[in-house]
Amino acid sequence: LIVTTGSQQALDLIGKTMISPGDKVIVEAPTFLATIQCFRLYGANIIGAPIDADGVDVDQLEALIEEHQPKLVYLIPTFGNPSGATLSLARRKRILEIAARTKTLIVEDDPYGELYFDTPPPPSLLALSDGVPGSRDWLAHCGSFSKILSPGLRVGWLIAPPELLARATMCKQFSDAHTSNLTQAICAHYLTLNRLNPTLAVVRKTYAERARVMAESLRRELGDAIEFNQPQGGMFFWAQLTGAQGKPSNAAEFAKRAIDQGVAFVPGAPFYAHDPDLATLRLSFATADVAKIEEGVARLARAL
């Protein structure tokens, strides 16, 4: 592996080493906005694969891989940003089988996997790859301390096949020489104190409560004006405006009205590489306590 300045640098290094102008890259639709921006910077032709509550639709993903023969496939299998979706165990195994059969690089971005509320999610693609012959040769895994310890430390990592890792190491030397020794030492010392697991237990309980309150508040205050899946971990709600009874159906327009009420969210359109669903939006419960969540949703209701 290579230590990176946050997992965002890991994604940038993959873009630098793998993508040439015109190369095709498949991502989830929707997916992490910064990844779309990063891969486009290197000239990628980005193709969206649809998702549902169980993550990416593997049948359609397989068809897209066969049709486009992409340079890579980028996935957030666990508590996705922005979707909150978690890829099922069966779908994870199929994706690894497809990667090995088609010789397609799968990039697994896993910053949220430890932020489950009750039941742990299925094992990562990295963990499962030992059981799928040949798949490890076509898998890159990005991780980070940003969501589980401190965003400001900017310590992440990239695990990848040797050839890709060697190129990434060279590119990293050109950009920043190395990730801060001080922040690496802080993380290392924290881990040796065995503080991470107790901290994660508190974070999981806190986030679970905030997610529960947000769901209850949305149902109570917005009713049939909004639809969403209840997340089982992570930091986000992915919701869709219904337009019921003349209520808003365009998230960008609704965002302007919400700001007038003193509350903000992210409209969903930027999370799509193409053909955005204009009714979608992302809500985060990570940094707001229960009282602020209830007040924020009440302000959303006033913006309807």
Side-chain angles (χ1 to χ4, degrees), residues 224-225 241-249:
D224 62 357
L241 299 172
T242 65
Q245 302 177 32
K247 292 173 182 173
S249 60

Side-chain angles (χ1 to χ4, degrees), residues 37-53:
Q37 295 170 327
C38 174
F39 290 170
R40 278 186 173 156
L41 180 66
Y42 297 110
N45 177 9
I46 301 179
I47 299 160
I51 65 171
D52 56 28

